[in-house]
Amino acid sequence: MTDVLQRTAPRSVPAPWLERPAGLCYGGDYNPEQWPREVWAEDIALMREAGINLVSIGIFSWVLLEPRECEYDFEWLDHLMGLLTDAGISVDLGTPTAAPPAWFWKKYPQARPVTREGMALGSGSRGMASPSSPEYLRAATSITEQLARRYGSHPGVVLWHVHNEYGAPVSESYDDSSVAAFRDWLRARYGTLEKLNEAWGTLFWGQKYGEWDEVDAPRVAASVSNQAQRLDFKRFTSNALLKCFIAERDVIRRHAPGVPVTTNFMATNCLSPDYWAWSREVDIVANDHYLVAERTDNHVLLSMDADLTRSLAGNRPWMLMEHSTGAVNWQGRNIAKRPGELARNSLSHVARGADAVMFFQFRASRYGAEKFHSAMLPHAGTGTRIWREVLDLGDDLNKLSSVKGSTVRARVAILWDVESFWAQDLEWRPSSDLDHRERIEAYYSVLWNQGITVDFAHPEADLSAYDLVLAPALYLIGEKAAANLREYVDGGGHFLVSYFSGIVDGNDTVPAGASPGALRDILGLEIHEFLPLREQETVSLSGGSGSGTVWAEDIHVGSATVVSRYVDGPAASGPAITRNAFGRGTAWYVSTRLDDGDLAAVVLDAAGAAGIATAPQPPQGLEVITRSTPTDHFTFLINHSDADAEYPASGTDLLTGAAFEHTAVVPGGTVSVIHAPEGNS
Ligand code: GAL
């Protein structure tokens, strides 16, 4: 594999989907090793009752499969696979490499991950070894080889599930093997120490390197570490983890040709590696999503996560590999899902391209760290609301089988570059209130509330299919991305940029001249000074544009037109919002943090200019999104409010059988999926 990450587009070979089941996949993680065998038969009967057709097994079973190094026991797994296969339930077979056994840690203590502070992590939990540990690589590929050899042609296995959530809980490791591998990675990236010194700006604070073995991982130092070095270590780590995945995947492919191999992503999670690169390597994109339960707009964040996952999948169907039926156990306040929320959440993922709805986990664990986590089958058993909703969801997914394989079309893209987030999150930025995630959520929410469908895109990706591209937070813009964005706008694209974008290049270095370096001529302006605001400080904008918080700037326009000025505050009378004609396109700039209503006005202006704002705005809380095939449209109307909602649509509700002409009525808290043949939506 290449050591330089390819991040622009998913793999060019169309991904295979699972050979079975026939309709949408439904099921979850299944950890029967925590139960006596009598329970297994009962579980499988209940799975059948619920319409479950796929389960993920073996994910945390390394010590059961290999109780001592190179001694194997597959009897229990053979038995389990037999039961599942006889019941017609397909298997997503996990490799257990996210939780090495106690014997591994005892024998290879040097493989333990080391934190930035220098602490080697203990065992007795879960989490992989150092991603660069040769001992771990050998042990992980060897148990994978055993599994793949044994089950590679097993008729029940329709998917391979490598590891679990790479990057969590172990990502960066500062052990000796990682430092050695980091140096190799740097040699491959820069070729010479001179180039590395230049890229890292090591003349600052006298950090220049004279020999390769002077270069270390950026462990905690007396003051702020070299920021380009930190960014490179994050890139290196993403790549090191990806190499672990690829090593296991390639072993599986040798023994199970044609069976897709995946691993579960955490699309918008801050611990994630660079999934644009990863999505090229998995056969099917699979994602885990958990609500930020406390937030009342958590269904909007769910949509964002699902839209990012679909984008990573290149708009091909993807799998929701894990979510929860109710409360999780690891947030501050683990708010339970209310009646109907389970179905709304699941179907929102389906609406946004998922062809599999899977949960963590089938039967609730009685012991261990996750005993307070919800499950499909709760501790209280089948007499529960959750179990009834699990049965209902099985029915619903069955009724939606014709949706399988259909796709979502978006005319708007939000730029998403995890490298930029990594860099922005380093220390000593102009204001601790700068928050890339907050801005992306704000811009996304405006579009969600309008029922405008959004893709996410890497700034180096082909953007020509989008009428409007938003950059709510793009602090770092590398050379390729800069050229790409320029080409997009020059060619007639509409581009809306928020503050603190285009500030540094790929080495976290400020490009020569005024900010925003790479965007200066696209936006037709220069920023002479950042003017971060005090906590609670508000600045007013002219022309009814509302007010801003967090940030202002001293902007000097060149070719840009001023849409709104600061009325007061540190930038008083200067431009606040601008618009610039560039080539055949238009670029807007918003230099402060607008609240939701004011931001909506700007975003809708840009969308209108791009010819997008044609759909009627849905009533408050109604999620609207359409999946299509060349012959059919499936419009999902997901009502997150308590009140009935109406929306213009004609066709038949696949879930209730109700027929609508012109207007669909969706009762509070429920979901309609309106099927209309092409030409009749
Ligand atoms: C996921 C993880 C699962 C389980 C779940 C609980 O992140 O992959 O194994 O721990 O969280 O919410």
Short mmCIF file of all heavy atoms in Angstrom, two decimals, residues 394-424:
data_model
loop_
_atom_site.label_atom_id
_atom_site.label_comp_id
_atom_site.label_asym_id
_atom_site.label_seq_id
_atom_site.Cartn_x
_atom_site.Cartn_y
_atom_site.Cartn_z
N GLY A 394 -38.43 -4.61 12.66
CA GLY A 394 -38.20 -5.74 11.74
C GLY A 394 -39.28 -5.77 10.65
O GLY A 394 -38.98 -5.94 9.46
N ASP A 395 -40.54 -5.54 11.06
CA ASP A 395 -41.64 -5.50 10.08
C ASP A 395 -41.44 -4.35 9.09
O ASP A 395 -41.61 -4.51 7.88
CB ASP A 395 -42.98 -5.24 10.80
CG ASP A 395 -43.54 -6.51 11.39
OD1 ASP A 395 -43.05 -7.59 11.03
OD2 ASP A 395 -44.47 -6.40 12.22
N ASP A 396 -41.13 -3.19 9.65
CA ASP A 396 -40.97 -2.01 8.78
C ASP A 396 -39.87 -2.23 7.75
O ASP A 396 -40.03 -1.91 6.57
CB ASP A 396 -40.61 -0.77 9.62
CG ASP A 396 -41.82 -0.23 10.38
OD1 ASP A 396 -42.94 -0.71 10.12
OD2 ASP A 396 -41.63 0.66 11.23
N LEU A 397 -38.75 -2.78 8.20
CA LEU A 397 -37.63 -2.95 7.26
C LEU A 397 -38.00 -3.94 6.17
O LEU A 397 -37.59 -3.81 5.01
CB LEU A 397 -36.36 -3.39 8.01
CG LEU A 397 -35.79 -2.32 8.95
CD1 LEU A 397 -34.62 -2.88 9.76
CD2 LEU A 397 -35.33 -1.08 8.17
N ASN A 398 -38.80 -4.92 6.56
CA ASN A 398 -39.27 -5.88 5.58
C ASN A 398 -40.12 -5.19 4.50
O ASN A 398 -39.97 -5.44 3.31
CB ASN A 398 -40.11 -6.91 6.35
CG ASN A 398 -40.21 -8.19 5.60
OD1 ASN A 398 -39.39 -8.44 4.70
ND2 ASN A 398 -41.22 -8.99 5.92
N LYS A 399 -40.96 -4.26 4.97
CA LYS A 399 -41.82 -3.53 4.01
C LYS A 399 -41.00 -2.59 3.12
O LYS A 399 -41.49 -2.12 2.10
CB LYS A 399 -42.87 -2.72 4.76
CG LYS A 399 -43.90 -3.56 5.48
CD LYS A 399 -44.82 -2.66 6.27
CE LYS A 399 -45.74 -3.50 7.15
NZ LYS A 399 -46.23 -2.73 8.29
N LEU A 400 -39.80 -2.27 3.55
CA LEU A 400 -38.98 -1.32 2.79
C LEU A 400 -37.95 -2.00 1.90
O LEU A 400 -37.03 -1.34 1.41
CB LEU A 400 -38.25 -0.37 3.76
CG LEU A 400 -39.14 0.58 4.57
CD1 LEU A 400 -38.30 1.45 5.50
CD2 LEU A 400 -39.97 1.46 3.64
N SER A 401 -38.11 -3.31 1.68
CA SER A 401 -37.02 -4.00 0.96
C SER A 401 -36.80 -3.43 -0.44
O SER A 401 -35.70 -3.48 -0.97
CB SER A 401 -37.22 -5.50 0.94
OG SER A 401 -38.51 -5.77 0.55
N SER A 402 -37.85 -2.83 -1.03
CA SER A 402 -37.64 -2.30 -2.40
C SER A 402 -36.75 -1.06 -2.42
O SER A 402 -36.29 -0.62 -3.47
CB SER A 402 -38.99 -1.97 -3.05
OG SER A 402 -39.75 -1.16 -2.19
N VAL A 403 -36.49 -0.51 -1.23
CA VAL A 403 -35.61 0.67 -1.15
C VAL A 403 -34.14 0.29 -1.38
O VAL A 403 -33.32 1.11 -1.78
CB VAL A 403 -35.77 1.31 0.27
CG1 VAL A 403 -34.68 2.29 0.58
CG2 VAL A 403 -37.14 1.94 0.40
N LYS A 404 -33.85 -0.98 -1.12
CA LYS A 404 -32.46 -1.46 -1.19
C LYS A 404 -31.80 -1.06 -2.51
O LYS A 404 -32.37 -1.23 -3.58
CB LYS A 404 -32.46 -2.98 -1.05
CG LYS A 404 -31.09 -3.59 -0.99
CD LYS A 404 -31.18 -5.08 -0.73
CE LYS A 404 -29.81 -5.72 -0.90
NZ LYS A 404 -29.83 -7.13 -0.57
N GLY A 405 -30.61 -0.51 -2.41
CA GLY A 405 -29.83 -0.18 -3.60
C GLY A 405 -30.12 1.20 -4.17
O GLY A 405 -29.38 1.67 -5.04
N SER A 406 -31.20 1.85 -3.70
CA SER A 406 -31.50 3.19 -4.23
C SER A 406 -30.52 4.20 -3.64
O SER A 406 -29.87 3.95 -2.63
CB SER A 406 -32.94 3.58 -3.92
OG SER A 406 -33.18 3.51 -2.52
N THR A 407 -30.41 5.35 -4.28
CA THR A 407 -29.37 6.31 -3.88
C THR A 407 -29.97 7.69 -3.59
O THR A 407 -31.14 7.94 -3.89
CB THR A 407 -28.30 6.46 -4.98
OG1 THR A 407 -28.96 6.84 -6.18
CG2 THR A 407 -27.55 5.16 -5.21
N VAL A 408 -29.14 8.54 -3.03
CA VAL A 408 -29.58 9.88 -2.62
C VAL A 408 -28.83 10.88 -3.47
O VAL A 408 -27.63 10.75 -3.68
CB VAL A 408 -29.23 10.10 -1.13
CG1 VAL A 408 -29.51 11.53 -0.70
CG2 VAL A 408 -29.98 9.10 -0.25
N ARG A 409 -29.53 11.90 -3.94
CA ARG A 409 -28.85 12.92 -4.75
C ARG A 409 -28.82 14.23 -3.97
O ARG A 409 -29.85 14.71 -3.50
CB ARG A 409 -29.60 13.08 -6.08
CG ARG A 409 -29.40 14.42 -6.78
CD ARG A 409 -28.37 14.33 -7.90
NE ARG A 409 -28.38 15.55 -8.71
CZ ARG A 409 -27.47 16.53 -8.60
NH1 ARG A 409 -26.50 16.44 -7.72
NH2 ARG A 409 -27.53 17.59 -9.38
N ALA A 410 -27.63 14.81 -3.83
CA ALA A 410 -27.50 16.10 -3.15
C ALA A 410 -26.90 17.11 -4.11
O ALA A 410 -26.02 16.78 -4.90
CB ALA A 410 -26.60 15.96 -1.93
N ARG A 411 -27.39 18.34 -4.03
CA ARG A 411 -26.83 19.40 -4.87
C ARG A 411 -25.91 20.32 -4.06
O ARG A 411 -25.32 21.24 -4.59
CB ARG A 411 -27.97 20.21 -5.49
CG ARG A 411 -28.82 19.37 -6.45
CD ARG A 411 -30.03 20.13 -6.92
NE ARG A 411 -29.65 21.33 -7.66
CZ ARG A 411 -30.51 22.29 -8.00
NH1 ARG A 411 -31.78 22.18 -7.67
NH2 ARG A 411 -30.09 23.35 -8.67
N VAL A 412 -25.88 20.05 -2.75
CA VAL A 412 -25.05 20.88 -1.86
C VAL A 412 -24.02 19.99 -1.18
O VAL A 412 -24.34 18.87 -0.78
CB VAL A 412 -25.93 21.53 -0.76
CG1 VAL A 412 -25.07 22.40 0.15
CG2 VAL A 412 -27.05 22.34 -1.38
N ALA A 413 -22.80 20.49 -1.06
CA ALA A 413 -21.78 19.74 -0.32
C ALA A 413 -21.17 20.63 0.75
O ALA A 413 -20.97 21.83 0.55
CB ALA A 413 -20.69 19.26 -1.26
N ILE A 414 -20.88 20.00 1.89
CA ILE A 414 -20.12 20.67 2.94
C ILE A 414 -18.72 20.05 2.95
O ILE A 414 -18.59 18.82 2.91
CB ILE A 414 -20.81 20.47 4.31
CG1 ILE A 414 -22.11 21.29 4.34
CG2 ILE A 414 -19.88 20.88 5.45
CD1 ILE A 414 -22.87 21.21 5.66
N LEU A 415 -17.71 20.89 2.97
CA LEU A 415 -16.33 20.36 2.95
C LEU A 415 -15.96 19.82 4.32
O LEU A 415 -16.21 20.45 5.35
CB LEU A 415 -15.36 21.46 2.51
CG LEU A 415 -15.61 21.99 1.09
CD1 LEU A 415 -14.59 23.07 0.73
CD2 LEU A 415 -15.58 20.86 0.05
N TRP A 416 -15.36 18.64 4.30
CA TRP A 416 -15.03 17.93 5.54
C TRP A 416 -13.63 17.39 5.39
O TRP A 416 -13.38 16.50 4.58
CB TRP A 416 -16.02 16.78 5.75
CG TRP A 416 -15.81 15.98 7.00
CD1 TRP A 416 -14.95 14.92 7.15
CD2 TRP A 416 -16.45 16.16 8.26
NE1 TRP A 416 -15.03 14.44 8.42
CE2 TRP A 416 -15.96 15.18 9.14
CE3 TRP A 416 -17.42 17.05 8.73
CZ2 TRP A 416 -16.38 15.06 10.46
CZ3 TRP A 416 -17.85 16.94 10.05
CH2 TRP A 416 -17.33 15.95 10.90
N ASP A 417 -12.70 17.94 6.16
CA ASP A 417 -11.32 17.48 6.08
C ASP A 417 -10.79 17.32 7.50
O ASP A 417 -10.53 18.29 8.20
CB ASP A 417 -10.47 18.48 5.30
CG ASP A 417 -9.03 17.99 5.14
OD1 ASP A 417 -8.72 16.86 5.60
OD2 ASP A 417 -8.21 18.72 4.57
N VAL A 418 -10.63 16.08 7.90
CA VAL A 418 -10.24 15.80 9.28
C VAL A 418 -8.83 16.33 9.57
O VAL A 418 -8.52 16.73 10.69
CB VAL A 418 -10.42 14.29 9.55
CG1 VAL A 418 -9.35 13.47 8.89
CG2 VAL A 418 -10.51 13.98 10.99
N GLU A 419 -8.00 16.43 8.54
CA GLU A 419 -6.66 17.01 8.76
C GLU A 419 -6.77 18.46 9.23
O GLU A 419 -6.00 18.93 10.06
CB GLU A 419 -5.84 16.98 7.47
CG GLU A 419 -5.39 15.61 7.09
CD GLU A 419 -4.23 15.64 6.07
OE1 GLU A 419 -3.83 16.74 5.65
OE2 GLU A 419 -3.75 14.56 5.72
N SER A 420 -7.73 19.15 8.64
CA SER A 420 -7.93 20.53 9.04
C SER A 420 -8.42 20.60 10.49
O SER A 420 -8.00 21.47 11.26
CB SER A 420 -8.95 21.18 8.09
OG SER A 420 -9.19 22.50 8.46
N PHE A 421 -9.28 19.66 10.86
CA PHE A 421 -9.78 19.65 12.25
C PHE A 421 -8.63 19.33 13.22
O PHE A 421 -8.51 19.95 14.27
CB PHE A 421 -10.91 18.63 12.44
CG PHE A 421 -12.02 18.75 11.43
CD1 PHE A 421 -12.81 17.65 11.10
CD2 PHE A 421 -12.30 19.95 10.82
CE1 PHE A 421 -13.83 17.75 10.17
CE2 PHE A 421 -13.33 20.06 9.89
CZ PHE A 421 -14.09 18.95 9.56
N TRP A 422 -7.82 18.34 12.84
CA TRP A 422 -6.67 17.99 13.70
C TRP A 422 -5.80 19.23 13.92
O TRP A 422 -5.39 19.52 15.04
CB TRP A 422 -5.79 16.92 13.04
CG TRP A 422 -6.38 15.57 12.92
CD1 TRP A 422 -7.39 15.04 13.67
CD2 TRP A 422 -6.00 14.54 11.99
NE1 TRP A 422 -7.65 13.76 13.26
CE2 TRP A 422 -6.82 13.42 12.24
CE3 TRP A 422 -5.06 14.45 10.97
CZ2 TRP A 422 -6.72 12.24 11.52
CZ3 TRP A 422 -4.95 13.28 10.25
CH2 TRP A 422 -5.78 12.18 10.51
N ALA A 423 -5.52 19.92 12.82
CA ALA A 423 -4.61 21.08 12.92
C ALA A 423 -5.26 22.19 13.74
O ALA A 423 -4.62 22.77 14.62
CB ALA A 423 -4.26 21.57 11.52
N GLN A 424 -6.51 22.47 13.47
CA GLN A 424 -7.17 23.57 14.18
C GLN A 424 -7.22 23.32 15.69
O GLN A 424 -7.18 24.25 16.49
CB GLN A 424 -8.58 23.80 13.63
CG GLN A 424 -9.26 25.00 14.27
CD GLN A 424 -10.59 25.36 13.65
OE1 GLN A 424 -10.82 25.11 12.47
NE2 GLN A 424 -11.47 25.95 14.44
#
